Amino acid sequence: MPRIVTELPGPRAQAFLAKSKQYEPQSMSDQVPLVWDHAQGCTIWDVDGNEFLDWSSGVLVTNCGHSHPQYVAAVQDQAGKLINCYDFLSQPRAELAEKLVSITPPHLDRCFLVTTGTDATEAALRMARRASKGWEVLSFHNAFHGRTYGAASAGGTQGVKLGFGPMVPGFIHAPFPYCYRCPFGRCLDECGLFCLEYLDYLVSKESCGELCAVITEPYQGGAGSITPPPGYFEGLERWARSRGMYFIFDEVQSSFGRTGKMFAFEHFDIKPDLVTLGKGLGSGVPCSAVMGTSEIMDILPPGSMGSTNGGNPLSSRAALAAIDIIEKEGLVANAARIGEVFKARFEAIQQRHCQLGDIRGYGLVYGLELVTDPESRTPDADLTRRTINAAFRRGLCIIAPIGVHKNVIRVAPPLVITEAEARESLDIFEAAFEAALAGE
Ligand SMILES: Cc1ncc(COP(=O)(O)O)c(C=O)c1O
């Protein structure tokens, strides 16, 4: 449980923060001044010995808990044996490909291993273009698929594009169903999923008739955990299929138990052709993958895709250990069960404080959208930042504000979180939120 023993940031943290300021660019996200030393399970210790509960999992990475002993042992053992052998085959890579094919639906019978989520996005886009006759990809406003040029062009957040143009051609962006702030000014009770109907109009104006794929996240994480209404993905998939397009599901952050299912696509009645995985797959050691059909992947000739670190023995072994822990310790079920504790508490807080405008998510990933008042729904970025700072001072680590308006608190603890840790962290959050409301 949290224990703050110095002023924050403490003296050692201040020294490292000064070094960072002197030697690193300011381009990374603006996190609270927590300088991590080590972490175990759901607890972080900073360099001054202060102890925090973790609502970040890095950034939805360490699903099986920080430095799980079984995971650490596997990584140490593999590091002593073999770390890189390029595209030459190793036992861990072959076994990881087999494992991933065995835990995904039967039509996803091929696994291509890479290193980062962005690599997986790029690989999926290349595969879709190569395997189809077209090259246009429909993607969404506010989406985040990575920061390289292909991935950033697929994405729809200004943050990754502003000043970095020109973007890669061939992407058509559609409004995503952000029902709390509907881009069409509609209401879910009466809209009949107008955002799906609108796609025909959009492509009739924007497309050169070369559509090949749709890419979407199951929920838009960085944009504020924006979770589409029931029936949306089923409708989107039907729409894509009726035009002969591939359906790409970006599960880089939503997989490996995060949403209370092993994969988020299990919440819907859909059958994506390509699924990208990352973050929780390696649970710390970078590892990512594209799962796909042999119909698509077997079209790619030898040498057309590959990378220096993709599928390396160390990250493959780490991923195998992480999946084993997730399965053996029932972390998917734990995420679903503890997620209900979170949800119930957030709803209770919302009853008391109307500035908690919207609660979105499932399993152990929530976005809490803070507003000045529920009628105007004016985003309150200042309250969001102050709540995160107040939580930090009380021993709870929360990622910097997310969302289109930077007014969303991201809740994403490691999936090993116990009910006692969940309740303790919720008590801290509520105290911090109330302190921020009072002006702290
Ligand atoms: C949905 C999604 N796709 C892709 C990425 C890019 O992953 P990475 O940062 O590992 O390149 C992220 C990262 O946040 C993500 O959330």
Side-chain angles (χ1 to χ4, degrees), residues 58-75:
V59 57
L60 303 101
V61 171
T62 51
N63 284 12
C64 66
H66 293 285
S67 296
H68 189 292
Q70 183 190 329
Y71 178 87
V72 172
V75 170

Side-chain angles (χ1 to χ4, degrees), residues 59-60 115-121 144-147 151 217-222 250-254 276 278-279 287-288 410:
V59 57
L60 303 101
T115 309
T116 67
T118 306
D119 291 339
T121 302
F144 183 75
H145 300 290
R147 284 194 168 82
E217 300 152 272
Y219 60 88
Q220 290 190 328
D250 179 345
E251 291 239 25
V252 166
Q253 77 161 253
S254 56
T276 55
K279 293 187 188 273
C287 184
S288 66
R410 179 180 252 171

Side-chain angles (χ1 to χ4, degrees), residues 27-314:
S27 57
M28 287 165 278
S29 51
D30 187 15
Q31 305 298 338
V32 290
L34 200 174
V35 181
W36 296 42
D37 182 72
H38 62 285
Q40 188 82 51
C42 201
T43 304
I44 304 162
W45 285 263
D46 78 357
V47 288
D48 295 289
N50 297 300
E51 219 168 302
F52 300 82
L53 279 171
D54 183 19
W55 271 13
S56 75
S57 306
V59 57
L60 303 101
V61 171
T62 51
N63 284 12
C64 66
H66 293 285
S67 296
H68 189 292
Q70 183 190 329
Y71 178 87
V72 172
V75 170
Q76 284 175 337
D77 179 61
Q78 189 59 45
K81 272 188 185 159
L82 180 68
I83 297 178
N84 190 293
C85 56
Y86 178 45
D87 281 354
F88 296 97
L89 189 58
S90 68
Q91 179 178 343
R93 191 181 100 204
E95 287 181 353
L96 180 58
E98 178 187 35
K99 181 71 192 175
L100 288 173
V101 166
S102 79
I103 61 173
T104 47
H107 74 286
L108 300 174
D109 57 353
R110 289 278 187 271
C111 164
F112 178 66
L113 292 167
V114 269
T115 309
T116 67
T118 306
D119 291 339
T121 302
E122 294 287 348
L125 293 171
R126 286 167 68 87
M127 288 172 183
R129 282 186 168 181
R130 185 69 191 251
S132 91
K133 292 194 176 56
W135 46 266
E136 288 175 324
V137 175
L138 186 102
S139 56
F140 289 93
H141 295 164
N142 302 327
F144 183 75
H145 300 290
R147 284 194 168 82
T148 52
Y149 272 96
S153 305
T157 50
Q158 240 200 353
V160 295
K161 297 185 181 187
L162 213 60
F164 293 111
M167 292 288 124
V168 176
F171 293 93
I172 297 173
H173 295 92
F176 196 71
Y178 185 0
C179 299
Y180 189 65
R181 300 183 188 280
C182 175
F184 298 102
R186 303 281 188 104
C187 237
L188 188 55
D189 330 338
E190 48 77 25
C191 76
L193 294 183
F194 178 73
C195 45
L196 279 178
E197 268 176 52
Y198 178 75
L199 296 179
D200 276 337
Y201 172 81
L202 179 71
V203 300
S204 76
K205 300 294 169 206
E206 300 274 338
S207 169
C208 310
E210 300 285 346
L211 288 164
C212 79
V214 172
I215 183 167
T216 183
E217 300 152 272
Y219 60 88
Q220 290 190 328
S225 280
I226 299 170
T227 309
Y232 181 78
F233 285 125
E234 289 81 353
L236 180 63
E237 187 183 45
R238 273 196 302 278
W239 182 86
R241 299 249 176 263
S242 69
R243 279 153 191 79
M245 298 161 75
Y246 293 126
F247 189 42
I248 309 173
F249 223 48
D250 179 345
E251 291 239 25
V252 166
Q253 77 161 253
S254 56
S255 45
F256 296 96
R258 180 52 64 187
T259 69
K261 305 260 187 203
M262 189 59 133
F263 302 99
F265 61 67
E266 295 170 45
H267 290 282
F268 317 108
D269 186 13
I270 56 173
K271 219 174 147 193
D273 304 286
L274 293 167
V275 175
T276 55
L277 306 172
K279 293 187 188 273
L281 167 59
S283 212
V285 177
C287 184
S288 66
V290 184
M291 305 305 300
T293 62
S294 42
E295 178 216 331
I296 297 177
M297 288 211 193
D298 289 356
I299 287 173
L300 299 154
S304 58
M305 306 261 290
S307 79
T308 302
N309 291 306
N312 73 71
L314 186 71

